[in-house]
Amino acid sequence: MYAFTLERPTTLADAKRLTGGGAQALAGGQTLIASMKQRLMRPENLIDLGGVAELQGIRVDGQTIVIGAMTKHQDVAANADVRRLIPGLAALAEGIGDRQVRAMGTMGGSVANNDPAACYPSAVLGLGATVVTDRREIKADDFFQGLYTTALDAGELITAIRFPVPTKAAYAKFRQPASRFALVGVFVAQTAGGVRVAITGTGNGVFRHAGLEAALAKSFTPEAVQGVQIDASEISGDLHASSAYRAHMVTVQTQAAVRQANG
Ligand SMILES: Cc1cc2nc3c(=O)[nH]c(=O)nc-3n(C[C@H](O)[C@H](O)[C@H](O)COP(=O)(O)OP(=O)(O)OC[C@H]3O[C@@H](n4cnc5c(N)ncnc54)[C@H](O)[C@@H]3O)c2cc1C
C-alpha cells in the first residue's frame, strides 16, 4: 500500500466539506480498497463515511422506503420493513457476494460504483427509485450512465436511496459461481408507473428492456415473455458466458423473477 491520509468525519457537513475538497469517499472498502491494492486507483485522501450517522438506517416514509447510503447489505436483507414491503429487495441483498461482503458492502458504495454486474443498480432502476445526494435528487432513469459511470459529479455524495413500494417485484440472478456477481440478473416490478424490467450483467451497465416491459404490461406471467426478442448483438460475451447464452438467460431469469413476484 502507498501513503494516503484518512479522515473520519462524524457529520454529513464535515464529510461534504472534505469530499468537496477532492478527497475520495470510503464506504465498506469492498471495491475501493481492492482497487487501491491493485493500483487501479491511487486516492491521496480518503474520507471514511462509517461514522456519519445521517447516512445510516432504513425508514418507511408513506409509500416509500428510504435506505441510508451507508446501510450494509446484511441490514437491508434483515430489515423487517424491507422484507414486508419490498421482499424482492431484501432477497436481492441476501444474495450479494458472501457473508463478509454483505457485512461490509453498502448500498451507496454499490450504486456509486455502478459495476456492470452488480445487483443493486437493477433494483434501483427496476423500482424507479430516486438517488438522494448531498446536492440534489436524481431519478434512477437518469442516474446510471454505463460502465462504472453515473450522474454523480466529482465529490458528490449519495446520502440515501428512496424506493417506492411496488405492487410486486422480484430479482432473479444467474450468478458467477466464484464472485457471485450477476452473469445475468433481472429485476422485474409492477409499479404505479407501469411494469419495469432492469437487466444487469450483460454489458456496459444496467438497462431497461422495452420489449419485456411491454409484454409483461399485457400479461404479468412467465409465458408472456417467451416470444420477446433479446438481441444478442447488444449483449457482451466473455470467457464465462457467450452473448447468445446470456441473451437466452435474460429470458430465463425474467421468467424466474416474474414467477417469484407472483408468489
Ligand atoms: C468478493 C465480492 C463479491 C461481490 N459480490 C457481489 C454481488 O453478488 N452482487 C453485487 O451487487 N455486488 C457484489 N459485490 C460488490 C459489493 O456488494 C460492494 O457493494 C461493492 O464492492 C462496493 O463496496 P462498498 O460498498 O464497500 O464501497 P467502497 O468500495 O468503499 O466504494 C466504492 C466506490 O463508491 C464510492 N462511494 C462509496 N460510498 C459513496 C457515497 N455514499 N457517495 C458517493 N460515492 C460513494 C467510493 O468513493 C468508491 O469509488 C461483491 C464484492 C466482492 C469483493
Side-chain angles (χ1 to χ4, degrees):
M1 217 40 140
Y2 56 90
F4 57 88
T5 65
L6 175 68
E7 303 252 13
R8 291 196 162 125
T10 53
T11 65
L12 183 58
D14 280 346
K16 272 175 71 161
R17 180 176 51 74
L18 292 162
T19 51
Q24 179 147 11
L26 173 68
Q30 295 302 288
T31 292
L32 183 51
I33 298 294
S35 306
M36 289 169 67
K37 284 182 178 166
Q38 293 169 341
R39 299 291 191 270
L40 296 170
M41 300 185 84
R42 290 184 78 112
E44 291 174 2
N45 310 110
L46 284 186
I47 306 302
D48 180 356
L49 301 178
V52 180
E54 293 110 304
L55 301 178
Q56 303 282 351
I58 299 175
R59 66 187 165 83
V60 178
D61 182 10
Q63 277 304 295
T64 306
I65 298 187
V66 186
I67 302 184
M70 283 301 289
T71 308
K72 309 267 173 55
H73 307 330
Q74 66 178 19
D75 297 327
V76 175
N79 182 270
D81 289 325
V82 180
R83 292 173 80 97
R84 180 171 54 88
L85 295 170
I86 320 184
L89 181 61
L92 176 152
E94 204 157 22
I96 289 177
D98 52 31
R99 189 171 290 193
Q100 179 181 325
V101 170
R102 293 193 293 276
M104 295 298 292
T106 66
M107 167 81 67
S110 173
V111 172
N113 195 47
N114 193 19
D115 186 299
C119 304
Y120 268 136
S122 71
V124 172
L125 188 60
L127 289 164
T130 300
V131 180
V132 184
T133 80
D134 57 344
R135 303 171 196 181
R136 57 191 167 138
E137 298 193 352
I138 309 170
K139 294 273 173 218
D141 286 321
D142 302 322
F143 184 81
F144 300 104
Q145 301 188 349
L147 205 64
Y148 298 106
T149 308
T150 69
L152 290 174
D153 291 329
E156 186 170 9
L157 285 175
I158 298 175
T159 57
I161 314 264
R162 282 213 312 262
F163 291 95
V165 174
T167 309
K168 33 175 110 161
Y171 177 65
K173 156 167 89 164
F174 186 62
R175 63 186 196 180
Q176 210 281 351
S179 71
R180 296 161 196 187
F181 273 97
L183 268 183
V184 173
V186 181
F187 199 99
V188 300
Q190 259 186 344
T191 74
V195 172
R196 297 173 68 99
V197 178
I199 299 169
T200 185
T202 63
N204 280 342
V206 66
F207 67 96
R208 290 174 63 188
H209 196 287
L212 292 171
E213 289 181 353
L216 290 173
K218 280 197 197 129
S219 166
F220 199 78
T221 60
E223 296 72 33
V225 301
Q226 190 60 52
V228 175
Q229 176 73 23
I230 309 296
D231 187 352
S233 70
E234 292 182 354
I235 289 183
S236 304
D238 58 23
L239 80 167
H240 301 297
S242 66
S243 305
Y245 185 76
R246 276 193 167 90
H248 175 66
M249 288 309 291
V250 167
T251 305
V252 172
Q253 296 307 314
T254 304
Q255 292 178 317
V258 170
R259 226 173 272 123
Q260 280 175 45
N262 284 337

